[in-house]
Amino acid sequence: MSRSDTVLAGLDSELGWLRETYTQLHRHPELSLEEHETSRLVEEKLASFGYAVTRIGGTGVVGVLANGDGPTVLARADMDALPVTEATGLPYASAVDGVMHACGHDMHVSALLGAAKLMADGRGAWSGTYIALFQPAEEVGAGSKAMVDDGLVAKVPRPDIALAQHVMPMPAGTVATTAGPVLSAGDSLKVTVYGKGAHGSMPHMSVDPVVLAASIVLRLQTVVSRETKPGDFAVVTVGALNAGAKSNIIPDRATLLLNIRTYDNQVRAAVLASIERIVKGECLTAGSPREPDFEYYDQFPLTSNDAGVTEQVRAAFSAHFGADPVHHAERQTASEDFSRIPDAFGVPYTFWLLGGVDPETYRAAAAKGTVAQDIPGNHSPFFAPVIDPTLSMGVQAHVVAALSYLSQEA
């Protein structure tokens, strides 16, 4: 029997409370930086398992299980929900108006709690230190920074590697991973441009910020099509343009909300520089009376898996699950803030994807070529991972990945 099999031998007996924990979390979601009850639940569970528990970053929780000499492995789960009204019709659907676990973070918390319990019960099979980190506010890109700013690096042992997973609209019972970029960097940007207000019947007395903003929107389309090297990836989306309040009033300013995604930090820097250059240039051309304002927010770092760690974990997955359930992960244009944690410690990491869709439902949609239409994605009001086998796979993946690094015996 392998070490993973030894540690996971008690999984079936733990699934009852883990399912209850998952449905409880799903029924009572909490928004970013408001994960108070979730944090209390996590603290109580970790303490009962024998972990040394610390609050870091407000609602962040870290449990440390020291088990003799050997490597230190950090495993992370995010905890926050989204401002989405649930439409799944599940018996355990959200009881909080306008708030929903629409991205699977309730599954992440439950799976890591299960792994933490089994790692504590199976201490005779491994040696080293296991860190279970539960992070707030991933959805707004603030939680990992809050934990780092609150002294995470000084308050917990330095890990040798860091691990994380995310449930995605893939068949349940599968995992997927890849070396290199797996999730894009994400930047949100509020641009305010200034004009000169006037009566709508007297446009010659104005500097019209509506026309200025429209020109900026059109010119920004060239950042990807004409300034980004073919083969490099970038997305520049203008999600909102707001100006004025009445048909016969030319306003004095306009705001644009942009979202930018990239897989390469050099491409990211070039794209952001191009956006600022274009905005400033259009303002100059329009005769804007003052410089534009740029406000960056909800920024997410690139998630780029270390090749060596990813290969070691992938090999462990294949040895445990077999080759068929272990897939190659396609790059996702979604973004995450997990990588700030290993980057703060200066250690490598890997981030894998966990399937959460009923396999038969997924196969039927794939056969019809309607996966995008029939399978709800993350952040959808219909997003609902099937509990089984998603939860079991999530627990197993955490345990198997950690044991691929922790020493052989206590």
Side-chain angles (χ1 to χ4, degrees):
M1 180 181 288
S2 69
R3 289 191 304 143
S4 295
D5 290 338
T6 299
V7 173
L8 290 167
L11 175 57
D12 287 347
S13 64
E14 306 291 347
L15 286 174
W17 71 265
L18 286 171
R19 294 186 186 104
E20 290 177 4
T21 297
Y22 171 73
T23 56
Q24 176 184 347
L25 291 171
H26 192 86
R27 191 178 291 115
H28 301 287
E30 296 176 299
L31 292 172
S32 303
L33 301 176
E34 299 176 10
E35 309 92 338
H36 304 293
E37 293 303 319
T38 304
S39 295
R40 275 192 279 272
L41 182 152
V42 168
E43 284 178 318
E44 291 171 2
K45 291 291 187 185
L46 290 176
S48 72
F49 303 158
Y51 285 70
V53 182
T54 306
R55 276 284 185 112
I56 303 176
T59 46
V61 180
V62 180
V64 178
L65 185 67
N67 189 37
D69 295 333
T72 297
V73 171
L74 183 151
R76 173 269 204 176
D78 41 11
M79 301 188 291
D80 53 329
L82 285 157
V84 172
T85 299
E86 184 160 358
T88 63
L90 290 166
Y92 51 87
S94 173
V96 182
D97 289 343
V99 182
M100 176 195 174
H101 268 298
C103 203
H105 297 185
D106 46 354
M107 184 64 71
H108 303 165
V109 172
S110 303
L112 185 53
L113 283 175
K117 174 66 159 60
L118 292 171
M119 292 296 288
D121 291 348
R123 276 174 281 197
W126 61 274
S127 179
T129 299
Y130 186 66
I131 303 172
L133 184 150
F134 295 81
Q135 181 209 302
E138 182 278 329
E139 295 293 356
V140 295
S144 60
K145 184 176 186 299
M147 297 188 79
V148 171
D149 289 348
D150 194 29
L152 173 68
V153 172
K155 292 178 179 179
V156 303
R158 182 180 185 272
D160 294 286
I161 61 158
L163 310 168
Q165 65 182 355
H166 204 298
V167 65
M168 296 292 283
M170 311 179 331
T174 64
V175 292
T177 187
T178 190
V182 64
L183 298 176
S184 69
D187 296 275
S188 289
L189 172 60
K190 179 181 178 181
V191 178
T192 303
V193 295
Y194 297 94
K196 179 183 176 184
H199 196 288
S201 67
M202 304 173 187
H204 60 290
M205 299 183 69
S206 76
V207 174
D208 193 337
V210 178
V211 175
L212 168 58
S215 297
I216 289 170
V217 171
L218 292 176
R219 185 57 186 250
L220 287 177
Q221 308 310 305
T222 66
V223 172
V224 175
S225 67
R226 288 296 177 269
E227 296 191 31
T228 302
K229 179 182 176 182
D232 287 344
F233 171 87
V235 170
V236 177
T237 295
V238 181
L241 191 167
N242 299 293
K246 200 171 186 294
S247 64
N248 66 345
I249 300 175
I250 295 173
D252 68 350
R253 69 193 62 196
T255 60
L256 303 92
L257 301 181
L258 281 64
N259 189 255
I260 302 99
R261 306 283 171 149
T262 52
Y263 287 132
D264 181 278
N265 286 326
Q266 288 186 327
V267 173
R268 173 180 177 269
V271 167
L272 296 180
S274 293
I275 290 170
E276 293 199 16
R277 186 197 76 240
I278 286 170
V279 171
K280 291 176 181 177
E282 292 293 332
C283 287
L284 182 64
T285 300
S288 180
R290 56 181 282 193
E291 288 285 307
D293 294 331
F294 300 95
E295 179 187 342
Y296 289 91
Y297 63 100
D298 287 0
Q299 291 186 282
F300 295 83
L302 178 68
T303 304
S304 185
N305 286 337
D306 178 83
V309 174
T310 301
E311 176 54 30
Q312 187 157 327
V313 169
R314 186 209 60 77
F317 284 165
S318 294
H320 178 74
F321 295 119
D324 289 345
V326 181
H327 299 172
H328 172 77
E330 298 295 329
R331 292 178 175 181
Q332 304 290 315
T333 51
S335 301
E336 254 272 7
D337 69 342
F338 156 69
S339 64
R340 287 199 184 105
I341 292 171
D343 285 351
F345 284 104
V347 302
Y349 62 86
T350 193
F351 182 101
W352 64 87
L353 310 181
L354 176 70
V357 179
D358 175 75
E360 289 301 321
T361 300
Y362 191 93
R363 276 193 285 269
K368 294 186 295 181
T370 59
V371 170
Q373 294 77 26
D374 295 348
I375 305 299
N378 303 67
H379 293 211
S380 163
F382 296 96
F383 184 79
V386 293
I387 298 177
D388 298 307
T390 309
L391 183 53
S392 173
M393 285 290 291
V395 174
Q396 292 179 69
H398 264 308
V399 169
V400 170
L403 290 177
S404 72
Y405 273 86
L406 291 167
S407 298
Q408 291 292 324
E409 57 185 32

